[in-house]
Amino acid sequence: MTRVDDDGLICYSGGVFRTMESTMTKPIRVAVTGAAGQIGYSLIFSIAAGDMLGPDQPVILQLVELPVAMQALEGVGMELDDCAFPLLHSIELADDPMQGFKGADVVMLVGAKPRGAGQDRSDLIKSNGPIFTGQGEAIDAVAADDAKIIVVGNPCNTNALIAQSRAKRIPKKNFTAMTRLDQNRAVGQIARKAGVAPADVHDVFVWGNHSDTMVPDVSLGTVRTGSGTKSVVEAVSADWLGGDFDKTVRTRGKAIIVARGKSSAASAAMSAVNHIHDWFLGTGESKITSMAVPSDGSYGIPEGLIYSFPVKITAPWQYEIVRDLKVDDATKTRMMASAKELEEERAAVADLL
Ligand code: NAD
Ligand code: LMR
């Protein structure tokens, strides 16, 4: 039998008194910017439902918006209350990251302008880049010492670099950008082509920038079929992999904008959930996942660029870049072109770093 006192502090179970603090899993504080936007509207409900941090992990949501969007955010807060999520310990709303990032263990930087039809993501750099100076400084000032950061707002790799440059207190390794959506797109395409479920496709990943220069890589990929597990290259044709597949994955963001008139939202939210989930809880049946992380010089990628690599999760909140993969010359050339593009983006925001 368990009894909780009025003040919520003491419980009784099996004849032993103890404080709730010592028996409950401590809530994880998750700050989300752009929480009233398109992605935010999918993302925060999924976090509150336990999809991101697991079914036993309480969460405190610290939702951050621009002052002009605070009324909309109040409405989202009401809806969160109305869901009565068992894992949602509490919600805090803020129009200032210095307040909204206080004590945050996970910071999800989503709030930024999306591109329109006819724009490249890098065209957003001048308008969105400055958002990440102030947010990097706020992370530095008030987030938890070992806060983990994912940048979704585009161009996400370079925005992550900007935020990282302003947050000297936080380990550089903790600043990541999202390329999981690109990986998920690759998995979805392969599953459909091979006639299997996405759960049967593993270890497909993406190198480079979250842009058209990204390099989807299936060299480690496997497909589970009724007759056993095959490599992706055995399961689908090389022509398709080098043609439609590659182009579809690299340009999917644009195709969605053309079709919907708005950029991807639910799939982006799901991928952000996947990114943090796997960083914390591991990759399950897959050995690796794609994360854009600070380059350590592996594969000749200039050190410090936030570049998508295959990573292994070695412990909760610990990743390692997978080194020493054999990379063919054609792939290496494309990987370096993506790195060059990131160097150009870095040069374009030199004043913000
Ligand atoms: P949206 O316009 O629907 O929502 C953005 C929200 O961010 C708005 O509510 C806005 O008020 C808020 N915002 C803007 N500046 C802010 C700031 N400084 N602080 C706090 N909040 C702020 O846009 P969206 O569709 O949700 O997309 C958000 C970003 O994510 C865009 O830059 C988009 O390009 C990017 N995106 C990235 C990926 C990826 O794979 N990395 C995928 C999809 C979208
Ligand atoms: C995506 O890949 O869907 C997002 O980055 C949005 C965009 O601008 O393409």
Side-chain angles (χ1 to χ4, degrees):
M1 187 186 111
T2 303
R3 180 177 62 77
V4 182
D5 269 4
D6 288 344
D7 63 6
L9 283 178
I10 308 294
C11 70
Y12 174 71
S13 174
V16 184
F17 279 98
R18 53 202 175 191
T19 65
M20 286 295 278
E21 271 304 301
S22 66
T23 56
M24 268 179 61
T25 308
K26 195 171 167 237
I28 291 184
R29 291 182 168 271
V30 181
V32 180
T33 67
Q38 280 207 96
I39 296 174
Y41 195 67
S42 289
L43 176 62
I44 58 184
F45 291 88
S46 185
I47 299 171
D51 300 338
M52 187 168 89
L53 298 170
D56 301 316
Q57 176 58 59
V59 63
I60 297 173
L61 278 176
Q62 303 182 185
L63 307 179
V64 183
E65 257 297 348
L66 291 174
V68 69
M70 286 309 284
Q71 190 183 333
L73 189 61
E74 294 277 352
V76 175
M78 289 180 216
E79 286 202 76
L80 279 169
D81 280 341
D82 296 350
C83 291
F85 286 114
L87 292 171
L88 186 54
H89 177 284
S90 52
I91 312 164
E92 297 165 16
L93 311 183
D95 63 5
D96 178 356
M98 289 293 276
Q99 186 191 334
F101 294 172
K102 250 184 211 161
D105 303 296
V106 177
V107 182
M108 306 183 77
L109 300 180
V110 179
K113 245 171 106 168
R115 65 173 161 162
Q119 278 190 306
D120 283 326
R121 296 182 187 96
S122 57
D123 295 334
L124 297 168
I125 205 157
K126 290 288 172 201
S127 54
N128 282 346
I131 295 173
F132 295 86
T133 58
Q135 293 187 348
E137 284 160 13
I139 290 170
D140 198 46
V142 299
D145 291 344
D146 201 22
K148 309 295 183 301
I149 295 97
I150 175 177
V151 178
V152 174
N154 277 320
C156 59
N157 301 56
T158 298
N159 288 337
L161 191 68
I162 295 170
Q164 183 205 51
S165 76
R166 300 295 178 124
K168 307 272 185 247
R169 182 175 63 91
I170 310 293
K172 282 188 181 314
K173 231 189 147 184
N174 293 11
F175 283 81
T176 69
M178 183 167 93
T179 50
R180 179 59 178 266
L181 177 55
D182 308 304
Q183 174 180 312
N184 287 349
R185 287 169 172 165
V187 167
Q189 292 297 311
I190 290 166
R192 184 189 268 241
K193 191 74 174 176
V196 299
D200 294 322
V201 179
H202 294 287
D203 298 324
V204 170
F205 65 93
V206 172
W207 301 101
N209 195 5
H210 176 59
S211 79
D212 296 1
T213 68
M214 75 179 79
V215 189
D217 191 324
V218 301
S219 57
L220 301 177
T222 60
V223 174
R224 188 171 44 219
T225 66
S227 54
T229 297
K230 303 175 180 173
S231 65
V232 169
V233 288
E234 288 167 332
V236 294
S237 81
D239 276 357
W240 178 76
L241 283 172
D244 278 359
F245 165 76
D246 189 76
K247 186 166 178 223
T248 300
V249 173
R250 288 186 300 102
T251 59
R252 188 67 152 190
K254 198 170 283 174
I256 288 170
I257 293 171
V258 169
R260 282 183 90 222
K262 287 178 181 169
S263 66
S264 64
S267 56
M270 186 53 59
S271 302
V273 163
N274 293 155
H275 176 117
I276 298 291
H277 173 279
D278 285 8
W279 193 358
F280 181 40
L281 294 169
T283 52
E285 276 189 69
S286 293
K287 295 187 198 73
I288 56 164
T289 186
S290 309
M291 285 168 69
V293 301
S295 172
D296 59 0
S298 295
Y299 303 98
I301 304 306
E303 226 174 306
L305 287 180
I306 308 280
Y307 189 94
S308 182
F309 288 98
V311 302
K312 266 197 166 112
I313 305 302
T314 53
W317 300 125
Q318 301 296 326
Y319 68 80
E320 269 177 20
I321 294 173
V322 177
R323 297 184 184 86
D324 306 325
L325 291 180
K326 283 206 171 66
V327 176
D328 62 46
D329 289 347
T331 303
K332 187 70 193 274
T333 303
R334 292 175 64 193
M335 285 166 61
M336 296 317 292
S338 201
K340 184 164 174 284
E341 182 182 56
L342 282 169
E343 288 185 300
E344 287 162 7
E345 287 184 18
R346 180 169 63 183
V349 296
D351 57 325
L352 303 179
L353 299 173

